[in-house]
Amino acid sequence: MEASRRRIEEQNYIMRPAFDELSALFAPSLREEHREADGQPLLVRTFPLQIWSDFFLEIHGTPGGLIWDERFVRADGTPSPRIDAPSQLRAWLMTKDEVEERFGALEEVELWSPYAAYSFNHPAPDGQGEQTHIVTFSRSLLQSAKPVRS
């Protein structure tokens, strides 16, 4: 088991110091800044994506060079789409923060990094009560939005 664990660690960039290595793949960075999460100091590098101008990719690294987080964020000066109802949500349209800003606090359903599923309630289309919706994200970018059938 120990030998298997070592082989997995050697092949899995998330489990070894790879912040600089991954950053080099996307270089040059647009900006670098220091942040803190859960008491952990982090260096955050933000990269523009040539084929995808609406979003930037942020890579968060620990002082030891480990990757703490990777997430998509809205590109500077790019407005978030105007969404009036959950039925308008589409994959790759919004970030988790934008969905939460529009529809209120999201309740955690399942976390399996880099994927996360959340739920929120919104008035039902027929005006009768509320309907629960499940939204799934990968690296904080919306992948799916579905109403829950009661």
Side-chain angles (χ1 to χ4, degrees):
M1 283 179 56
E2 186 63 28
S4 294
R5 184 190 63 77
R6 278 195 304 275
R7 279 196 313 272
I8 290 169
E9 283 181 354
E10 290 168 3
Q11 295 175 0
N12 187 343
Y13 74 91
I14 290 176
M15 296 179 74
R16 62 185 169 86
F19 179 67
D20 288 332
E21 184 180 327
L22 186 59
S23 294
L25 291 174
F26 293 102
S29 65
L30 183 65
R31 62 181 166 261
E32 282 189 5
E33 57 189 289
H34 293 275
R35 296 188 197 161
E36 189 175 300
D38 299 331
Q40 171 80 37
L42 301 171
L43 176 61
V44 178
R45 292 184 178 142
T46 302
F47 299 94
L49 304 171
Q50 292 180 357
I51 61 171
W52 206 355
S53 61
D54 285 354
F55 297 98
F56 293 150
L57 179 65
E58 285 186 347
I59 302 174
H60 303 222
T62 67
L66 296 174
I67 296 170
W68 177 268
D69 192 14
E70 305 160 288
R71 70 177 63 161
F72 289 95
V73 295
R74 180 74 50 191
D76 298 340
T78 305
S80 178
R82 179 172 163 79
I83 300 295
D84 296 317
S87 62
Q88 296 173 315
L89 291 171
R90 301 285 181 264
W92 301 1
L93 185 66
M94 300 175 83
T95 65
K96 176 184 175 281
D97 291 342
E98 292 169 334
V99 171
E100 197 162 36
E101 183 179 307
R102 172 59 187 92
F103 296 106
L106 302 178
E107 187 173 325
E108 182 181 305
V109 173
E110 183 177 10
L111 293 177
W112 189 260
S113 186
Y115 297 97
Y118 299 90
S119 68
F120 67 90
N121 291 322
H122 191 266
D126 63 7
Q128 302 295 313
E130 291 191 327
Q131 184 173 37
T132 300
H133 297 267
I134 301 293
V135 286
T136 305
F137 300 88
S138 175
R139 292 177 176 84
S140 291
L141 187 61
L142 182 65
Q143 300 299 304
S144 66
K146 299 175 185 168
V148 175
R149 306 261 185 240
S150 50

